[in-house]
């Protein structure tokens, strides 16, 4: 059973590192095109599939952060001195 635990820990570490990479690639200036947004969404979905079986809370926290990157950002626009969002 010790080898399985070692493998599980190694996989969790790889998932944490993968999430860090995807989060860096999720910067708004890098995902401006529709193709880049689709690629990001695909990466986030694939991460979620891999993270589903993990018991590491870091992996699930990072999954939440990754899912937040897919939500559209809201902008505040001023028209004739009034703020409109």
């Amino acid at each position: 059973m010790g080898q399985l635990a070692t493998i599980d820990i190694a996989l969790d570490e790889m998932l944490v590192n993968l999430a860090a990479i995807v989060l860096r690639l999720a910067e708004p200036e890098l995902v401006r095109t529709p193709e880049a947004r689709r690629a990001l969404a695909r990466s986030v979905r694939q991460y979620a599939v891999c993270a589903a079986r993990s018991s590491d809370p870091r992996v699930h926290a990072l999954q939440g952060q990754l899912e937040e990157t897919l939500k559209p950002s809201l902008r505040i626009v001023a028209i004739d001195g009034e703020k409109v969002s």
Side-chain angles (χ1 to χ4, degrees):
M1 193 65 167
Q3 288 180 337
L4 290 177
T6 301
I7 292 170
D8 191 46
I9 291 168
L11 288 172
D12 287 336
E13 290 302 321
M14 289 190 329
L15 284 170
V16 168
N17 291 329
L18 177 61
I21 292 167
V22 175
L23 283 170
R24 281 194 301 267
L25 294 173
E27 293 294 325
E29 56 272 359
L30 296 177
V31 287
R32 290 185 178 173
T33 66
E35 295 84 11
R37 295 284 304 157
R38 282 192 295 274
L40 174 62
R42 197 167 40 251
S43 294
V44 171
R45 283 193 305 272
Q46 289 173 345
Y47 183 88
V49 169
C50 295
R53 294 182 181 252
S54 175
S55 60
D56 190 325
R58 298 174 303 160
V59 171
H60 295 286
L62 288 164
Q63 179 182 349
Q65 288 179 20
L66 287 170
E67 290 170 351
E68 286 294 318
T69 66
L70 298 178
K71 294 181 179 178
S73 59
L74 300 176
R75 292 185 294 173
I76 297 177
V77 179
I79 300 174
D80 294 331
E82 295 180 30
K83 289 185 179 178
V84 178
S85 53

